[in-house]
C-alpha cells in the first residue's frame, strides 16, 4: 500500500486486519483509482503461506468534507467497509458525506 500512495499520505494498521490510509491533496476520483489499483494488485498476488492462493480485500472509503470530524470520517469509512463486505466483498465502496448547509 505504501508504494501506491504519495509522500504526504499516511498508511497505518488501524486494528487487527484493518488498515487506514489518509490521503492528502487528492481528489475523490484519484483516490478511488488508487484504492482500486491496490485492491486489484492484492487480489492478483499469490501467497506461499496460503499454498499459492490469492486473497481479496474490501475497502471502505469516506470522503472528507470541510468541517467533518474525525469520528464522522471514520464512521463513514466503517459503514462503507461493512457495505462492501455485505454486498459481495472484493470491492471498494465510497461513503459520501452530505454537504453542510451554509448558515
Amino acid at each position: 500500500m505504501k508504494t501506491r500512495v504519495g509522500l504526504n499520505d499516511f498508511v497505518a494498521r488501524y486494528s487487527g486486519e484493518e488498515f487506514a490510509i489518509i490521503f492528502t491533496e487528492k481528489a475523490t476520483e484519484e483516490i478511488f483509482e488508487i484504492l482500486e489499483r491496490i485492491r486489484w494488485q492484492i487480489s492478483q498476488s499469490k501467497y506461499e503461506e496460503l499454498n499459492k492462493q490469492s486473497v481479496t480485500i474490501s475497502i471502505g472509503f469516506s470522503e472528507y468534507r470541510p468541517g467533518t470530524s474525525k469520528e464522522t470520517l471514520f464512521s463513514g469509512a466503517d459503514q462503507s467497509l461493512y457495505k462492501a463486505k455485505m454486498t459481495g466483498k472484493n470491492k471498494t465502496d465510497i461513503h459520501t458525506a452530505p454537504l453542510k448547509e451554509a448558515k
Side-chain angles (χ1 to χ4, degrees):
M1 286 185 266
K2 288 182 180 180
T3 62
R4 294 283 183 184
V5 302
L7 294 175
N8 293 325
D9 301 326
F10 304 93
V11 177
R13 183 179 295 269
Y14 185 60
S15 69
E17 297 175 343
E18 294 182 2
F19 293 85
I21 303 175
I22 299 174
F23 290 97
T24 62
E25 306 166 345
K26 289 182 177 61
T28 299
E29 296 80 16
E30 183 181 3
I31 294 169
F32 182 78
E33 289 175 14
I34 292 168
L35 293 173
E36 281 294 281
R37 283 195 300 266
I38 290 170
R39 187 189 59 73
W40 183 85
Q41 185 176 19
I42 289 172
S43 73
Q44 298 303 303
S45 299
K46 307 292 183 196
Y47 297 92
E48 287 292 326
E49 301 87 348
L50 299 173
N51 296 322
K52 298 188 181 184
Q53 293 183 30
S54 61
V55 297
T56 60
I57 63 170
S58 297
I59 299 173
F61 167 49
S62 185
E63 184 178 43
Y64 175 78
R65 304 240 188 212
T68 302
S69 69
K70 67 179 179 183
E71 291 82 9
T72 300
L73 191 65
F74 277 81
S75 174
D78 279 343
Q79 290 172 34
S80 289
L81 177 58
Y82 182 77
K83 183 177 175 186
K85 288 180 177 183
M86 294 297 111
T87 59
K89 300 183 181 178
N90 194 29
K91 60 170 61 175
T92 301
D93 185 79
I94 300 174
H95 178 267
T96 303
L99 291 172
K100 295 199 177 214
E101 293 183 28
K103 293 182 179 181

